[in-house]
Amino acid sequence: MPLCKVDGVEVEFEAGMNVLQVAELAGKEIPRFCYHERLSIAGNCRMCLVEVKPGPPKPQASCALPAAENMEIFTDTPMVKKARHGVMEFLLINHPLDCPICDQGGECDLQDQAMGYGRDDSRYAENKRAVEEKFMGPLIKTVMTRCIQCTRCVRFVTEVAGVPEIGLISRGEDVEITTYLDKAVTSELSGNAVDLCPVGALTHKPWAFNYRPWELKKTESIDVHDALGSAIRVDARGPAVLRVLPRINEDVNEEWISDKTRYAVDGLSRQRLDRPYIREAGKLRPAAWNEVLDLVAAKIKATAPDRIGVIAGDLQDAESMKAALDLFGGLGVASLDCRQDGLALGAGPRASWLFNSTLAGIEDADVVLLVGTNPRLEAPVLNTRLRKRWLAGAVRIGVIGEQADLTYPYDYLGAGAQSLTGLTRQKGDFVQALKAAKAPAIIVGAGALARIDGAAVLKAAAGVAKSFGASWNVLHTAAARVGGLDLGFTPKAGGKTAAQMVAKGGADLLILMGADEIELAASKAFVVYMGTHGDRGAHRADVILPGAAYTEKNAIYVNTEGRVQLAARAVFPKGDAREDWAILRALSDRLDARLPYDTLDDLRRKLFADHPTFGRIDHVDGPAGAAALDLGALGSAGALADPPFASPVRSFYLTNPIARASVTMAECAALASGAAKIAAE
């Protein structure tokens, strides 16, 4: 590896690194505004100036200068210091003095670097320029007079998000960042542009003037709005969650999160179930915990086990599902299901329902086949990885399913199951590329597997993967799905699926654990709903047991690649709500079937003992775990239906009870559907 010197200290670096990166390897802090390691080089803020030898006797932008063998880099010479002070003075010429009212205050790169390189006065007496505000949609608030034209937002939406709707116009003093025709930014990742903004030009519109960062208690947790398990930080003040920000996790979400993950937090405090209820004469009335638990226990005792059904929703944690399995399994209930959508997975080896390439590993694939999935809506952060791989010119992507804008070009191979079964017989360019690929991958979504013919589609997709030697990947849409399948939260011998339970005459007693995505109109059963929001399940419920949201409990989730992750409590449950496992534990006493754990730690010890997979926190088996997977044994033979594959996510912003309770998500959904006016209409 090549060597160079940084302030007299020898540093070994990888070929291709720039001077800024090499200086940081040596432990030197280089100020910057425009440079970001995940974006292309712009080199326009000039804050990262250094002196190099051999080279001209002038400061140079370290972000845009490749490091070379035997180069000498100086980061703190008088020339460098004077140059950085000069750059800071120029940056502040037009910057308004509104730090006291700026939402970026306390987290502002310009504030921080002005402390090190700024002056305590100004030599400019001219009027500061003012820039008209821009409309960027319901999520991004603009104060463009503060903008320093670093172009991070432009490069992010163009390169990472793949929606080039922000750009730089005019020249010289008139240069501005703007959206073309004042059009709202349509990316599902737009909030990340605010994170990237080093000043207060872009701030979070839903949170405007709501907090100061030093007021907030910060809790590291994971996201449950999709199945990726993105690393997040939950910031709360008192009993309220005020914002969610991304944490860096290179293996899962890098440093991006979706807008739903970030901005649905207002839904955590709206339409909440904060006390137990009992329905009498068609109306719900508040009740005490003892009363509702006694009523539920009496109903369970009076109902035959084969007439009881338990359905776990998409946001359930592993501990609550384990408690439900222990309680109702001990009572002889066989009808338990965590698959509200009827997904045709749950039998066979664990690798059959995992994303075996791993989220980071999909970047090593050279040909990817998407079957019945729209990753832009189902997992936007995963979609950025596919786009990044495509931008590098290293992947070819084919789609069987809906023709949607995925932010990158792809080969469209057909709409439904017939296109899938006929793929091996095709002679097209994509099929030839798939045959010649060194690391092909197939990604199958719920749009293909959550159908009446799901088992037959599963067999066909597995056959394609086997024929081409492709890695097998299932992209789930629910945070609870893999954990439920790992636990075996599926019908036992003689049990019914979720769809069968809610059908007419399917069950006499339904226990809904946060199950809000399943139609209950045909069922005449007595419904016990345990959840957080007044959503579909609560509307149909005869008894409501208020539970805790994902920010209100310490819990275990398993993401789509099989990574066991820990969510942490940021605030306490609302009102009289309780954690789901604790509700089931209290119910077990009244059923004379006491569960053998009194604390969360006791429950986790039993969980780890019965299912050792859950004890391997942050571990993924990856391709090694799928090595013994027999693709030929997946699914079952059967007739394939004609309807095309369709993603289960019809409205990205309204996929779960928390998001549907959010005013911000409602505004985004209206904009996305065209119900709200955009641009200059």
Side-chain angles (χ1 to χ4, degrees):
M1 294 177 71
L3 290 170
C4 69
K5 287 186 176 181
V6 179
D7 292 337
V9 179
E10 278 198 346
V11 177
E12 192 175 41
F13 64 94
E14 295 181 14
M17 296 181 76
N18 58 39
V19 169
L20 187 151
Q21 293 171 318
V22 173
E24 291 195 332
L25 284 179
K28 301 296 181 179
E29 184 176 348
I30 306 295
R32 85 291 298 268
F33 292 112
C34 68
Y35 175 78
H36 192 278
E37 55 271 16
R38 300 188 198 277
L39 304 176
S40 61
I41 302 297
N44 55 2
C45 79
R46 319 308 288 179
M47 196 65 205
C48 63
L49 295 173
V50 297
E51 188 178 354
V52 297
K53 293 182 181 179
K58 65 176 184 178
Q60 299 191 60
S62 59
C63 68
L65 183 64
E69 178 82 38
N70 298 324
M71 176 183 281
E72 291 187 68
I73 303 167
F74 302 94
T75 67
D76 58 0
T77 62
M79 179 197 294
V80 169
K81 292 179 180 178
K82 184 177 180 181
R84 291 178 183 171
H85 280 79
V87 169
M88 178 58 69
E89 188 172 5
F90 274 112
L91 288 175
L92 294 177
I93 288 174
N94 286 311
H95 197 80
L97 299 177
D98 59 357
C99 295
I101 63 164
C102 178
D103 274 327
Q104 195 81 346
E107 298 175 315
C108 178
D109 292 350
L110 188 64
Q111 277 185 333
D112 295 341
Q113 293 183 35
M115 290 296 293
Y117 303 100
R119 297 168 57 98
D120 59 359
D121 64 342
S122 175
R123 291 182 286 178
Y124 291 86
E126 293 83 358
N127 292 330
K128 292 178 180 288
R129 78 165 189 164
V131 181
E132 184 179 340
E133 305 311 336
K134 307 298 186 293
F135 173 71
M136 294 191 180
L139 302 179
I140 302 176
K141 180 177 183 290
T142 66
V143 184
M144 300 311 293
T145 301
R146 301 170 183 159
C147 181
I148 61 171
Q149 290 86 45
C150 70
T151 69
R152 280 187 180 182
C153 57
V154 177
R155 285 174 284 148
F156 171 79
V157 299
T158 303
E159 298 165 10
V160 179
V163 183
E165 295 172 342
I166 301 178
L168 200 67
I169 62 170
S170 301
R171 301 181 67 181
E173 186 182 5
D174 297 324
V175 70
E176 296 181 25
I177 300 285
T178 183
T179 55
Y180 306 111
L181 301 177
D182 284 340
K183 183 178 181 293
V185 179
T186 59
S187 172
E188 296 78 17
L189 299 157
S190 63
N192 295 287
V194 180
D195 289 342
L196 292 172
C197 183
V199 296
L202 304 181
T203 55
H204 302 284
K205 186 178 287 187
W207 310 334
F209 310 124
N210 277 358
Y211 60 81
R212 283 301 195 183
W214 52 83
E215 300 174 333
L216 305 178
K217 182 186 73 172
K218 302 168 178 62
T219 305
E220 294 186 352
S221 189
I222 58 106
D223 172 50
V224 300
H225 288 280
D226 58 31
L228 297 191
S230 299
I232 60 173
R233 194 186 80 197
V234 180
D235 289 0
R237 182 178 61 201
V241 173
L242 294 185
R243 68 177 184 180
V244 165
L245 299 177
R247 290 187 292 122
I248 295 177
N249 187 332
E250 299 293 350
D251 294 330
V252 180
N253 61 305
E254 298 180 290
E255 63 181 86
W256 318 124
I257 55 174
S258 74
D259 290 342
K260 181 167 54 180
T261 298
R262 185 189 302 269
Y263 294 115
V265 291
D266 61 319
L268 290 166
S269 58
R270 298 185 71 253
Q271 299 180 16
R272 286 301 301 271
L273 301 174
D274 58 358
R275 66 181 68 180
Y277 289 90
I278 295 174
R279 189 178 298 276
E280 291 180 349
K283 295 184 178 180
L284 291 170
R285 68 164 177 86
W289 271 109
N290 286 335
E291 183 182 3
V292 295
L293 291 176
D294 288 341
L295 174 59
V296 173
K299 286 289 184 180
I300 293 174
K301 289 178 179 179
T303 308
D306 64 340
R307 300 298 299 167
I308 298 175
V310 184
I311 303 175
D314 293 347
L315 304 183
Q316 288 304 116
D317 56 279
E319 292 93 339
S320 66
M321 288 188 283
K322 172 60 175 169
L325 277 171
D326 289 348
L327 175 57
F328 293 105
L331 296 174
V333 176
S335 299
L336 304 102
D337 205 348
C338 66
R339 304 163 302 178
Q340 293 182 92
D341 55 5
L343 194 74
L345 283 169
R350 184 173 187 250
S352 66
W353 57 73
L354 296 185
F355 199 95
N356 293 292
S357 291
T358 72
L359 300 174
I362 199 64
E363 293 187 33
D364 297 327
D366 51 3
V367 178
V368 176
L369 175 63
L370 304 177
V371 179
T373 182
N374 181 341
R376 180 175 176 181
L377 298 182
E378 297 170 25
V381 175
L382 172 64
N383 202 55
T384 66
R385 290 190 183 272
L386 294 173
R387 175 174 169 79
K388 180 168 66 171
R389 183 73 168 161
W390 169 77
L391 279 175
V395 70
R396 187 165 182 174
I397 298 170
V399 170
I400 297 179
E402 294 178 298
Q403 276 189 288
D405 179 7
L406 299 180
T407 71
Y408 43 79
Y410 54 81
D411 294 273
Y412 186 65
L413 307 173
Q418 302 306 323
S419 301
L420 180 63
T421 55
L423 191 64
T424 55
R425 299 188 298 273
Q426 290 184 15
K427 305 294 184 182
D429 291 345
F430 180 81
V431 174
Q432 298 306 313
L434 197 55
K435 289 179 178 178
K438 296 180 180 178
I442 182 171
I443 301 177
V444 186
L449 301 180
R451 301 171 15 132
I452 295 176
D453 62 343
V457 173
L458 173 61
K459 188 170 188 65
V464 169
K466 185 175 182 179
S467 297
F468 293 106
S471 63
W472 177 254
N473 302 289
V474 177
L475 180 58
H476 294 280
T477 57
R481 189 60 48 80
V482 173
L485 296 178
D486 286 350
L487 284 167
F489 205 104
T490 51
K492 312 307 175 191
K496 298 175 182 177
T497 65
Q500 292 169 337
M501 290 182 228
V502 300
K504 186 176 181 179
D508 294 334
L509 175 62
L510 279 176
I511 311 293
L512 303 182
M513 301 172 59
D516 291 286
E517 316 305 325
I518 193 165
E519 184 55 57
L520 300 167
S523 177
K524 303 300 181 184
F526 185 89
V527 176
V528 177
Y529 178 76
M530 179 168 59
T532 60
H533 285 74
D535 209 82
R536 179 183 292 175
H539 293 168
R540 175 63 179 78
D542 295 289
V543 174
I544 292 177
L545 308 176
Y550 74 104
T551 55
E552 299 164 1
K553 57 187 174 184
N554 296 308
I556 292 175
Y557 292 89
V558 187
N559 77 348
T560 193
E561 61 182 348
R563 185 184 302 272
V564 180
Q565 299 174 294
L566 297 177
R569 175 192 289 155
V571 295
F572 286 95
K574 304 298 181 189
D576 291 334
R578 298 291 182 268
E579 295 181 30
D580 297 358
W581 75 267
I583 297 172
L584 294 169
R585 168 64 182 79
L587 180 62
S588 70
D589 276 340
R590 289 163 171 78
L591 291 169
D592 301 321
R594 183 170 184 167
L595 293 173
Y597 29 79
D598 295 324
T599 66
L600 182 63
D601 288 340
D602 292 340
L603 171 52
R604 285 182 173 175
R605 276 191 285 271
K606 190 170 191 310
L607 173 64
F608 298 160
D610 294 348
H611 304 276
T613 299
F614 287 88
R616 297 184 294 169
I617 306 299
D618 206 38
H619 170 80
V620 288
D621 293 332
L629 176 62
D630 181 8
L631 291 170
L634 296 186
S636 59
L640 293 168
D642 293 331
F645 298 145
S647 171
V649 179
R650 309 316 301 168
S651 177
F652 169 74
Y653 300 101
L654 304 174
T655 56
N656 59 60
I658 298 173
R660 287 191 288 269
S662 166
V663 173
T664 304
M665 292 297 97
E667 292 176 359
C668 292
L671 193 65
S673 68
K677 290 185 177 182
I678 59 174
E681 296 179 5

